[in-house]
Amino acid sequence: MRTITFNELRRIKDSLPTGSMHRIADELGLNVDTVRNFFGGHNFKEGKSVGIHLEPGPDGGLVMLDDTTVLDRALKILDEMNANAEPVRA
């Protein structure tokens, strides 16, 4: 189990490149709406709940994650982006 703030979870989601929700869904064999629900979406007609528990509080509250697989995949994508980014030249 891992605990992060809801706002941090949203910052991670918002930092992902276009198409990442579909990429994560494809790589993990999930419905794309299930991946979106992990990041705070509410489409339970198409997607499923993914084992997140919300507790009210500062910074959007706390999110307790039963399974960090989706988060781990998102962080891997962000790492790939940073590794492929060209260095900033002064």
Side-chain angles (χ1 to χ4, degrees):
M1 180 177 278
R2 180 170 173 185
T3 303
I4 66 173
T5 67
F6 181 77
N7 288 345
E8 179 62 21
L9 186 64
R10 295 298 289 183
R11 275 191 289 275
I12 291 168
K13 182 231 175 235
D14 292 342
S15 297
L16 291 168
T18 301
S20 294
M21 296 295 117
H22 287 279
R23 176 179 168 185
I24 293 169
D26 290 344
E27 289 178 3
L28 299 177
L30 299 172
N31 179 294
V32 70
D33 285 317
T34 299
V35 175
R36 288 185 181 119
N37 289 346
F38 181 89
F39 289 102
H42 299 290
N43 186 349
F44 298 107
K45 182 177 180 183
E46 296 295 325
K48 296 180 181 177
S49 175
V50 288
I52 65 171
H53 310 282
L54 303 172
E55 292 289 331
D59 204 21
L62 296 176
V63 180
M64 280 75 66
L65 306 169
D66 291 340
D67 183 347
T68 62
T69 305
V70 172
L71 177 62
D72 295 339
R73 195 62 59 131
L75 293 172
K76 179 181 172 190
I77 291 170
L78 291 176
D79 285 344
E80 290 170 2
M81 282 178 43
N82 291 332
N84 292 329
E86 292 188 28
V88 176
R89 297 194 176 129

